[in-house]
Amino acid sequence: MHPTALEMEKNSAAMLLQALSSLLKEEDAQRVDLAHLLHKDMAGGLVACASLGEMMRHELANGCDTASVGKLLSSLDSTLRQTLQLVRDMTEKQFPPVLKAFGLHVALQQLVRNVGENFAGSLVLHISGDEPSFDLTSRLNLFRIMQALLKHCVRFANTSWVEVTCRASAEKLEITIDHDGGDSIWKETGAGSEMAVIEARCALLGSRMQVMGAGPGGSSRLCLMALPSAPQSAA
C-alpha cells in the first residue's frame, strides 16, 4: 500500500522538525560552551592580566628592585599567552581559520588528522583537482558536513577503516566516503537526528548525498556532490 499525499506530507514535516530540533540543540550546546569559556577562562585570564599590571605599577611606585618586576612581567607574559591561545581555540571551533586562508582541501586534511587521532583504525584522504569557488559560508557548511560524517563513521566498533576521496573541478566537488562499518551505522539509535542535520545542511548548500553499498566485503559508500553555483545563485 502506497502512502497517501497527506502521509508523505506528515513524514516530510516530521523530518524537517527533527532536523530543526537537532540543529537548535546543537546550537544551544555551543552557546553554553562558548559562554562558559568567555566567563570562566577568557574573563579570568584578562582579570589576572589586569591584576598583574596593578601589582607592577605598585611595585614600581614603591621603588622595587628589577628582579621583582621581572617576575611579575614573566607572569603577565605567560597569562597573556594562555589567553591568546584560548582565543585561537575558540576561533577554531567557530570557524577554522584554515578554511579562509587555505581553502577546504587543507581544512579537510587537518580534519582527517584530528579525527584519526581518536580512531584505532585506518583513516585516509585522497584529493585531486582544484576546489570550486565556494564562498566562506558554503565552505564552513561543507566542512561541518564532513566533520559530522567522519565522526559518525569512526564512532562504531565495527568500523576499522575509512577512506575519503575528493575529486574537484571548477564545476563541482564530489566526495566519497568508503568504510567497512556497513549500512547499519546510519540506522543506529541517534543516527536519525544526526542524518537529519546533515541532510538539512546539504539542502542549505544545494548538494546531494546518497548512502549505498559499494563492492564486496560489507563495505559501504556515501557520496556527496556540491555545486558552487547553487549557493551563489541563491544569494
Side-chain angles (χ1 to χ4, degrees):
M1 182 177 179
H2 296 290
T4 63
L6 180 59
E7 290 173 335
M8 293 178 64
E9 184 176 346
K10 287 182 177 179
N11 289 337
S12 298
M15 290 181 63
L16 287 173
L17 181 60
Q18 183 184 39
L20 178 59
S21 299
S22 298
L23 285 170
L24 290 174
K25 183 178 179 180
E26 178 185 3
E27 181 180 306
D28 286 344
Q30 291 175 352
R31 287 175 182 271
V32 170
D33 290 341
L34 182 60
H36 180 75
L37 286 171
L38 287 172
H39 176 71
K40 180 183 177 182
D41 298 319
M42 177 71 74
L46 293 176
V47 168
C49 289
S51 297
L52 287 166
E54 287 294 333
M55 293 171 65
M56 290 175 64
R57 280 191 288 271
H58 175 76
E59 291 291 323
L60 290 171
N62 288 275
C64 68
D65 55 50
T66 306
S68 297
V69 176
K71 289 180 180 179
L72 290 173
L73 184 59
S74 177
S75 296
L76 177 60
D77 179 71
S78 176
T79 304
L80 279 173
R81 290 179 184 276
Q82 291 175 8
T83 307
L84 286 172
Q85 185 58 50
L86 176 63
V87 173
R88 294 189 184 98
D89 293 341
M90 292 169 59
T91 303
E92 184 76 23
K93 289 182 179 180
Q94 299 302 311
F95 185 95
V98 68
L99 273 175
K100 181 177 182 180
F102 301 106
L104 183 65
H105 284 177
V106 178
L108 289 180
Q109 293 173 9
Q110 187 179 81
L111 173 64
V112 166
R113 285 196 300 270
N114 293 339
V115 174
E117 289 179 355
N118 300 314
F119 181 45
S122 171
L123 176 57
V124 297
L125 171 68
H126 307 289
I127 296 177
S128 62
D130 296 326
E131 67 183 75
S133 180
F134 291 111
D135 57 58
L136 292 181
T137 302
S138 298
R139 281 188 197 173
L140 179 60
N141 199 3
L142 265 170
F143 180 82
R144 295 302 184 206
I145 291 172
M146 292 300 298
Q147 186 179 49
L149 290 174
L150 290 181
K151 287 185 176 180
H152 187 84
C153 284
V154 304
R155 182 182 306 160
F156 298 92
N158 54 331
T159 302
S160 65
W161 62 264
V162 180
E163 186 171 359
V164 183
T165 304
C166 298
R167 300 181 181 88
S169 66
E171 294 78 23
K172 62 183 177 180
L173 176 66
E174 293 181 288
I175 300 175
T176 58
I177 302 177
D178 294 310
H179 61 89
D180 64 346
D183 292 341
S184 61
I185 70 171
W186 308 107
K187 302 173 184 177
E188 297 284 344
T189 303
S193 297
E194 292 181 9
M195 292 304 293
V197 172
I198 293 171
E199 288 173 358
R201 286 193 175 280
C202 287
L204 182 64
L205 188 64
S207 59
R208 301 194 301 271
M209 184 178 66
Q210 182 180 9
V211 178
M212 57 186 173
S219 61
S220 297
R221 168 169 291 183
L222 185 144
C223 297
L224 177 68
M225 180 183 294
L227 307 175
S229 58
Q232 291 175 355
S233 62

